[in-house]
Amino acid sequence: MKKSMDNRGFHQGSFSSFQSSSSDEDLMDIPGTAMDFSMRDDVPPLDREIEGNKSYNGGGIGSSNRIMDFLEEPIPGVGTYDDFNTIDWVREKSRDRDRHREITNKSKESTWALIHSVSDAFSGWLLMLLIGLLSGSLAGLIDISAHWMTDLKEGICTGGFWFNHEHCCWNSEHVTFEDRDKCPEWNSWSQLIISTDQGAFAYIVNYFMYVLWALLFAFLAVSLVKAFAPYACGSGIPEIKTILSGFIIRGYLGKWTLVIKTITLVLAVSSGLSLGKEGPLVHVACCCGNILCHCFNKYRKNEAKRREVLSAAAAAGVSVAFGAPIGGVLFSLEEVSYYFPLKTLWRSFFAALVAAFTLRSINPFGNSRLVLFYVEFHTPWHLFELVPFIVLGIFGGLWGALFIRTNIAWCRKRKTTQLGKYPVVEVLIVTAITAILAFPNEYTRMSTSELISELFNDCGLLDSSKLCDYENHFNTSKGGELPDRPAGVGVYSAMWQLALTLILKIVITIFTFGMKIPSGLFIPSMAVGAIAGRLLGVGMEQLAYYHHDWGIFNSWCSQGADCITPGLYAMVGAAACLGGVTRMTVSLVVIMFELTGGLEYIVPLMAAAMTSKWVADALGREGIYDAHIRLNGYPFLEAKEEFAHKTLAMDVMKPRRNDPLLTVLTQDSMTVEDVETIISETTYSGFPVVVSRESQRLVGFVLRRDLIISIENARKKQDGVVSTSIIYFTEHSPPMPPYTPPTLKLRNILDLSPFTVTDLTPMEIVVDIFRKLGLRQCLVTHNGRLLGIITKKDVLKHIAQMANQDPESILFN
């Protein structure tokens, strides 16, 4: 409930000055870097309008007649929320029911009202269509731009500078199948500068240009983020989870954030840093959803309805990120959404469908697929292979737990030391180290998506990759399938390079995720797992070839048969590592099998994903996104965790013993001056209203923001309201003596049925109430008398204290 807001003398200013008041913290880290939260809003707060003649009286249970005599019209600003505060889910749902009931009743009166009712019902589907179209279009633009700029680090197409390497050589008449990535139209930087790509000097020139372009892209990305949209950094998923739980972060999903995140995401991916674009695409899609909500009154004026749209937008983001519409819907349900009714499930499905269709129409990779690393496997897996699949699951869980601990430790160091004050220097240093170490190794030099595509690939007859450099290249006895065969020099060389790539990716990703640039974690995590899986898969393949007479192989793998698919091991490893970091299970498996186009590999994926989750959970309960939420002090009440401690509401409520008495308002005996004094001397976000200070019988609860706006509005529009005017929260005010200043009736802003519990209510029930109803606060009574208050922040602090964590890490309510 506490909110650091200086309101002294607020009645002398304007509502606009109140609106721009500071938040809990002027500076806050997202994620791990200092940001000024007092910047201008990207998107204005919800319209300061309340549905005409509607009065919310808490819990959606009852409503009162309007009796605010100084103003017949709704008060602008009443019912809206301050920045960095939590919405009242119950009040928002009650408002939407009132709005819907009014439209339904009016639809029976005229044809125009009926048309309005139909358009209101259809507006949700239209909004999903627009979100899908915009998200798919932006994803296609990002994919095409990132592919071109990644290749720009190595050279340029003289036939047209806008072509990437692959497209440049497509139409060349001088390219051979074996060297299809080499054509005279594509020139490396050494060819352009010194007219040759042979020799040590040419290598140094290409090396220098690679590092230079990487530094340029990274510098542009971090500079744009720092200058125009600080919220555009990171993956955005921890903040989106928090926003979907009801928290307000003005501007986080605004137009400037969308523009800058789209541009800098291309730059960050092209710089060669160990990051991906898949997580940030969820943020981009949610920005699209939030901006488009302003075109529809139903969603612009209701924060709870808007969050239903954002849940669907998150599904569309994953749909275009992985080409997995069903996986996107399940990701939104399992990982990011706090409130996910059945209607949202259907609309998420539709938004994901439209987004995937739009991206497929753009065809950014030229392969009629939605992702670069789509593969198809045909060799069935054997029951014995579950053992190495589970080993990959264990590796994924260990990697996930290690990454979370080390990354959170580094981000905390960034927050608490001078490092956080120099985000540009940090990004440039990490980029320089990454580029210098990446160039000599072809597997680190290529983009991470191309690396995953290479690792997932099942070697065919026409593959020229070193990973497919086997001896007896074409010695097959079974149609077009290639048998297991001894590894050649190229395979052994690739194994060493991949081992070095694995070490680099593991280490550098720890320092990359959380910097002040857009940075996703899906692709780096998948790359780590895919490398480990491919190494294990090639090892299993060679073991089966040289020892096919062993008991574990002879029953199902005869000599010359195609028994082991190393690409499948890479895919299972990728799923295991991604699951270990994010703790996804169902949505992860669906995303991965949508990537492969085959249902027969679901069991290996399930085994690896479940094993990685078990192992990672044994070493730490939080996934990476929950860990960053806790690091940043967001008020997120995790629905998956159980509260098992035997504490009572009286142990958590404020005030505690020896604390000052609870600040309350009385229903009919306080003047405007008294209320203004309380507001200016306290920092609470709301106040209980009681019959009298002696009885402490509860009447209702009033929000600080609504009080300030209503009093200021009354001073402007009602003649005679002065500091000695009595404020009434009752339905009828008693007759006043002559020459008494006019009274101020504020019953209309009073929540007449605030949620209450008794002082002996177990905290596990209180926590459940907060989780399932999305409460901001709950009042504590004893025999009907008000004792204290429990806020969401108090609940989160108590949970942290019970878990031996720092309760002061919770910054907001």
Side-chain angles (χ1 to χ4, degrees):
M1 284 302 283
K2 292 184 176 65
K3 184 165 171 54
S4 301
M5 181 193 304
D6 187 3
N7 288 300
R8 295 180 186 277
F10 72 91
H11 56 280
Q12 297 172 359
S14 65
F15 169 54
S16 60
S17 66
F18 165 72
Q19 180 185 340
S20 62
S21 59
S22 62
S23 59
D24 286 20
E25 298 287 332
D26 285 331
L27 293 178
M28 179 183 168
D29 286 8
I30 301 182
T33 56
M35 263 170 225
D36 190 355
F37 267 20
S38 60
M39 63 178 217
R40 67 185 184 276
D41 289 350
D42 273 355
V43 175
L46 267 86
D47 283 12
R48 315 297 203 241
E49 299 178 36
I50 305 297
E51 300 296 334
N53 299 327
K54 294 294 172 187
S55 169
Y56 170 73
N57 293 316
I61 296 171
S63 62
S64 67
N65 296 322
R66 291 179 56 82
I67 58 167
M68 197 176 294
D69 59 356
F70 67 85
L71 188 63
E72 292 299 326
E73 299 170 357
I75 307 173
V78 168
T80 58
Y81 303 95
D82 289 319
D83 206 358
F84 313 117
N85 245 298
T86 302
I87 70 169
D88 189 332
W89 285 90
V90 178
R91 178 166 73 170
E92 296 299 308
K93 297 304 290 182
S94 175
R95 276 187 194 166
D96 186 60
R97 282 194 296 270
D98 287 344
R99 184 198 62 80
H100 187 265
R101 192 179 299 117
E102 183 179 353
I103 290 175
T104 303
N105 292 337
K106 285 184 178 179
S107 66
K108 301 171 185 176
E109 298 173 1
S110 67
T111 306
W112 179 250
L114 179 62
I115 294 172
H116 178 252
S117 174
V118 172
S119 67
D120 180 78
F122 179 70
S123 62
W125 295 102
L126 178 60
L127 181 55
M128 295 302 113
L129 175 68
L130 296 175
I131 290 171
L133 290 171
L134 186 55
S135 301
S137 301
L138 287 176
L141 175 67
I142 290 169
D143 286 335
I144 293 169
S145 304
H147 200 172
W148 173 70
M149 292 179 68
T150 299
D151 288 345
L152 193 62
K153 298 203 302 289
E154 299 185 31
I156 196 167
C157 184
T158 54
F161 73 90
W162 55 87
F163 290 122
N164 62 38
H165 192 168
E166 186 179 12
H167 289 169
C168 184
C169 294
W170 267 1
N171 298 322
S172 175
E173 298 176 357
H174 305 92
V175 65
T176 62
F177 189 82
E178 289 77 14
D179 294 324
R180 52 189 176 274
D181 59 340
K182 296 178 182 178
C183 61
E185 289 81 4
W186 180 263
N187 289 329
S188 66
W189 290 111
S190 62
Q191 286 176 298
L192 289 172
I193 296 171
I194 61 174
S195 303
T196 179
D197 60 351
Q198 303 297 320
F201 186 60
Y203 182 84
I204 292 171
V205 170
N206 286 328
Y207 202 149
F208 175 76
M209 292 302 294
Y210 181 91
V211 175
L212 185 65
W213 278 110
L215 288 171
L216 176 63
F217 292 155
F219 176 74
L220 287 174
V222 69
S223 299
L224 287 171
V225 167
K226 185 180 179 184
F228 296 104
Y231 290 154
C233 68
S235 77
I237 292 180
E239 287 74 26
I240 287 168
K241 283 187 72 168
T242 310
I243 289 170
L244 290 179
S245 74
F247 195 55
I248 303 268
I249 307 179
R250 300 268 181 230
Y252 196 83
L253 301 176
K255 56 184 179 297
W256 271 111
T257 305
L258 173 63
V259 172
I260 298 301
K261 185 119 188 179
T262 302
I263 296 170
T264 55
L265 179 55
V266 174
L267 291 166
V269 171
S270 304
S271 69
L273 286 165
S274 183
L275 49 82
K277 62 181 181 299
E278 281 64 21
L281 275 174
V282 176
H283 188 186
V284 167
C286 286
C287 288
C288 296
N290 184 62
I291 292 167
L292 290 169
C293 276
H294 287 77
C295 302
F296 300 87
N297 281 342
K298 178 165 69 170
Y299 299 103
R300 185 177 73 244
K301 297 178 181 180
N302 193 293
E303 292 282 6
K305 295 293 289 181
R306 189 185 298 189
R307 275 151 181 74
E308 294 179 22
V309 173
L310 296 180
S311 293
V318 174
S319 173
V320 293
F322 289 103
I326 306 297
V329 175
L330 292 175
F331 174 83
S332 180
L333 173 61
E334 179 183 3
E335 187 62 25
V336 298
S337 293
Y338 194 82
Y339 174 67
F340 203 84
L342 195 58
K343 182 176 14 176
T344 303
L345 178 70
W346 300 332
R347 290 182 175 171
S348 299
F349 183 82
F350 180 63
L353 165 69
V354 175
F357 175 78
T358 305
L359 185 61
R360 171 65 180 79
S361 302
I362 296 172
N363 194 16
F365 302 110
N367 59 0
S368 300
R369 303 295 184 188
L370 299 181
V371 286
L372 191 60
F373 38 84
Y374 182 92
V375 289
E376 288 184 358
F377 300 129
H378 302 289
T379 306
W381 60 279
H382 191 269
L383 190 63
F384 167 74
E385 290 183 279
L386 278 179
V387 175
F389 293 153
I390 289 173
V391 169
L392 286 173
I394 294 171
F395 171 79
L398 293 172
W399 146 250
L402 169 71
F403 175 81
I404 291 168
R405 289 194 180 188
T406 51
N407 179 253
I408 292 297
W410 179 251
C411 288
R412 185 174 287 112
K413 183 179 179 65
R414 183 188 291 126
K415 285 168 67 79
T416 56
T417 64
Q418 295 293 316
L419 181 64
K421 296 181 180 179
Y422 305 101
V424 177
V425 175
E426 181 192 10
V427 169
L428 291 178
I429 290 173
V430 173
T431 304
I433 293 171
T434 304
I436 290 168
L437 295 177
F439 186 83
N441 186 339
E442 65 177 285
Y443 293 112
T444 49
R445 187 164 66 240
M446 67 175 63
S447 75
T448 314
S449 292
E450 289 175 345
L451 172 62
I452 293 173
S453 178
E454 186 100 348
L455 295 169
F456 281 9
N457 183 40
D458 187 16
C459 289
L461 294 173
L462 305 178
D463 282 310
S464 57
S465 165
K466 285 203 298 186
L467 282 170
C468 298
D469 182 20
Y470 290 92
E471 297 176 9
N472 302 324
H473 193 273
F474 186 52
N475 182 21
T476 179
S477 58
K478 302 196 315 177
E481 295 180 10
L482 292 174
D484 290 342
R485 52 213 186 281
V489 177
V491 173
Y492 287 115
S493 172
M495 292 301 101
W496 280 109
Q497 286 180 294
L498 284 175
L500 293 173
T501 303
L502 178 64
I503 295 170
L504 177 62
K505 291 285 183 186
I506 285 176
V507 174
I508 206 70
T509 305
I510 292 169
F511 300 98
T512 304
F513 187 71
M515 292 195 304
K516 201 173 180 182
I517 53 173
S519 54
L521 192 57
F522 283 15
I523 289 296
S525 300
M526 289 176 66
V528 168
I531 295 169
R534 188 77 187 204
L535 292 172
L536 181 60
V538 171
M540 287 292 297
E541 182 186 48
Q542 296 305 298
L543 194 65
Y545 177 80
Y546 287 108
H547 302 285
H548 58 84
D549 54 341
W550 284 8
I552 57 175
F553 295 119
N554 61 12
S555 61
W556 60 282
C557 185
S558 58
Q559 187 172 13
D562 182 17
C563 306
I564 305 291
T565 306
L568 173 61
Y569 284 71
M571 187 183 73
V572 172
C577 282
L578 185 53
V581 171
T582 63
R583 310 298 162 85
M584 295 190 299
T585 50
V586 180
S587 56
L588 172 64
V589 171
V590 174
I591 287 171
M592 294 305 294
F593 93 69
E594 283 188 271
L595 283 178
T596 61
L599 294 174
E600 57 186 309
Y601 304 110
I602 284 184
V603 173
L605 289 169
M606 291 175 69
M610 205 68 246
T611 305
S612 70
K613 178 172 171 57
W614 283 336
V615 172
D617 281 348
L619 299 173
R621 296 291 297 174
E622 291 180 320
I624 185 65
Y625 301 129
D626 295 328
H628 273 275
I629 286 172
R630 185 163 60 84
L631 178 69
N632 288 322
Y634 296 137
F636 183 76
L637 199 51
E638 179 58 70
K640 301 169 189 172
E641 298 292 331
E642 293 292 330
F643 185 84
H645 302 282
K646 293 185 177 180
T647 50
L648 302 175
M650 62 188 298
D651 301 324
V652 181
M653 73 176 190
K654 300 287 181 64
R656 306 280 179 86
R657 258 178 220 166
N658 304 322
D659 283 353
L661 293 175
L662 184 66
T663 304
V664 297
L665 306 179
T666 56
Q667 67 174 359
D668 56 7
S669 61
M670 296 186 73
T671 64
V672 170
E673 184 180 19
D674 295 335
V675 173
E676 288 176 347
T677 302
I678 288 176
I679 290 173
S680 62
E681 291 180 352
T682 62
T683 57
Y684 306 128
S685 290
F687 305 94
V689 179
V690 294
V691 174
S692 66
R693 296 188 186 279
E694 294 74 28
S695 72
Q696 291 290 310
R697 299 288 178 183
L698 183 64
V699 175
F701 189 86
V702 64
L703 292 178
R704 172 200 197 96
R705 180 185 179 91
D706 291 352
L707 264 179
I708 294 173
I709 295 170
S710 299
I711 294 174
E712 183 182 85
N713 206 60
R715 283 182 178 275
K716 288 179 181 177
K717 300 196 175 183
Q718 184 180 356
D719 293 334
V721 172
V722 293
S723 296
T724 54
S725 297
I726 303 292
I727 292 180
Y728 283 96
F729 292 100
T730 55
E731 190 161 356
H732 302 288
S733 57
M736 303 300 291
Y739 308 110
T740 303
T743 60
L744 188 58
K745 300 177 184 177
L746 298 184
R747 186 178 177 85
N748 197 49
I749 64 170
L750 183 65
D751 178 356
L752 289 172
S753 54
F755 281 89
T756 59
V757 296
T758 66
D759 53 336
L760 298 179
T761 305
M763 271 306 294
E764 57 186 332
I765 294 177
V766 175
V767 171
D768 261 356
I769 291 173
F770 271 86
R771 279 178 181 154
K772 293 174 180 175
L773 295 178
L775 299 186
R776 305 174 76 198
Q777 70 277 321
C778 181
L779 301 177
V780 182
T781 62
H782 177 76
N783 293 335
R785 298 181 75 246
L786 180 66
L787 280 188
I789 186 170
I790 299 175
T791 66
K792 188 176 183 179
K793 187 173 182 179
D794 294 330
V795 171
L796 288 163
K797 282 189 169 186
H798 183 65
I799 292 174
Q801 198 170 7
M802 292 292 101
N804 295 319
Q805 297 169 354
D806 179 17
E808 298 307 315
S809 64
I810 310 299
L811 299 178
F812 306 104
N813 184 43

